[in-house]
Amino acid sequence: MGRARGKQAGGDGVVEERVDGGVARLVADRDRGRGWTLLIDDAPQSHVDLDDPAYLSFEYQRRFGHVVDLVAPPGKPLQAVHLGGGAFTLARYVAATRPRSTQQVVERDAALVSLVRRELPLDPKARIRVRSVDAREGLAKVPDGWAGLVLADVFSGARTPAHLTSAEFLDDVRRALAPGGVYAANLADGPPLTHLRGQIATAAARFAELALIADPAVLRGKRFGNAVLVASDAPLPIAELTRRAASDPHPGRVQHGRELVDFTGGAAPVTDTTAVASPAPPASVFQ
């Protein structure tokens, strides 16, 4: 499929192009003058407002935003690693809310990176470096103890690749994190939540402190959805995370401590030899 442009960035229409991961479409947000939604094979991936990069539309991205806001004092620059780029929504958010931050984005899909850079250009003053390599390969190049924050939001065909779900992967996350640094990951699962329980058990085997932010219906196994896992060796701001999640347009619940351990139901940590990709979402999720 060739490029089919229905508009320039900021107008009305659609930009469509084949990328490595499928067919990418940038669709105008008619309620926000320079807002765009990125879809890959019709699965929504990211939303960006070029006029207001601090605006987060997607539910799970708002939860990532809460983590970004609370990981350090307001406005303090961060050294952040983003595994998975999409439309660089969270990197733009960090740059807008924490000026002078230094960020590395690892996005394997080089064609997607090219499309987003062209149609939704990054602020040239933002210190954002983009590497078009596999997430685990890119993570391995991050210096020891460099990152105050590592955010993982990697999907291939709407599934998280198996090699990004293991304890060995988290060992490299820990290596890249500075003391007291925070790791947050976007996890997707549905009933019976086998993948989610395994991911929590895996993180619990590597980090001292955990929290999970999700829609209560997802936590009860009533529907497929996203959950944001937050992990650190330092105490997490549970009270403020709970307050912010509860006040979102789609209120979320925060689980932590014994409640979160119990939620795993005795699931075993995932290793490189046992890892599988996250489950594919039902078609109804995107309808």
Side-chain angles (χ1 to χ4, degrees):
M1 176 179 295
R3 184 180 181 196
R5 175 179 291 192
K7 69 164 189 171
Q8 297 285 342
D12 291 332
V14 174
V15 178
E16 185 173 293
E17 190 165 315
R18 180 169 292 281
V19 297
D20 299 340
V23 176
R25 287 195 301 140
L26 293 170
V27 180
D29 181 342
R30 299 185 183 279
D31 295 325
R32 302 185 72 87
R34 298 183 71 209
W36 292 78
T37 298
L38 167 67
L39 301 95
I40 306 290
D41 289 340
D42 294 325
Q45 301 288 325
S46 305
H47 179 280
V48 169
D49 187 333
L50 296 178
D51 287 334
D52 183 8
Y55 173 77
L56 299 176
S57 175
F58 286 9
E59 180 180 289
Y60 83 89
Q61 290 182 332
R62 288 180 61 86
R63 290 167 184 163
F64 269 141
H66 299 328
V67 176
V68 171
D69 292 346
L70 297 173
V71 74
K76 181 179 178 180
L78 289 176
Q79 293 186 164
V81 175
H82 303 261
L83 303 178
F88 311 144
T89 303
L90 271 300
R92 298 174 200 266
Y93 182 84
V94 171
T97 60
R98 297 183 177 276
R100 303 182 307 283
S101 291
T102 303
Q103 303 184 73
Q104 296 186 32
V105 177
V106 183
E107 171 54 64
R108 181 175 183 173
D109 194 328
L112 176 61
V113 169
S114 178
L115 170 66
V116 172
R117 280 188 177 278
R118 185 181 69 236
E119 301 295 339
L120 310 176
L122 290 164
D123 182 346
K125 298 188 295 294
R127 301 174 182 177
I128 301 173
R129 180 180 182 182
V130 183
R131 296 175 182 265
S132 295
V133 296
D134 174 78
R136 198 151 159 180
E137 180 183 346
L139 178 64
K141 297 181 183 299
V142 176
D144 293 1
W146 183 84
L149 178 66
V150 175
L151 300 179
D153 184 19
V154 185
F155 288 85
S156 176
R159 304 176 70 184
T160 301
H163 69 295
L164 304 181
T165 68
S166 69
E168 291 88 344
F169 165 67
L170 291 186
D171 285 338
D172 210 25
V173 171
R174 284 178 57 88
R175 178 199 58 77
L177 281 172
V182 172
Y183 169 67
N186 179 25
L187 308 176
D189 201 6
L193 301 179
T194 302
H195 174 72
L196 186 57
R197 298 182 203 278
Q199 288 302 283
I200 296 166
T202 306
R206 293 298 186 267
F207 290 94
E209 302 289 336
L210 300 180
L212 188 71
I213 315 170
D215 185 301
V218 173
L219 293 175
R220 292 196 301 268
K222 298 295 185 182
R223 68 172 181 86
F224 193 99
N226 296 86
V228 171
L229 175 66
V230 188
S232 179
D233 284 331
L236 294 170
I238 298 298
E240 186 61 16
L241 276 175
T242 300
R243 187 191 69 79
R244 292 186 179 217
S247 63
D248 277 340
H250 299 282
R253 180 181 174 191
V254 175
Q255 286 192 339
H256 64 99
R258 173 51 57 184
E259 181 183 30
L260 191 53
V261 172
D262 291 344
F263 177 81
T264 66
V270 175
T271 68
D272 277 343
T273 57
T274 62
V276 296
S278 66
S284 59
V285 168
F286 305 126
Q287 292 177 354

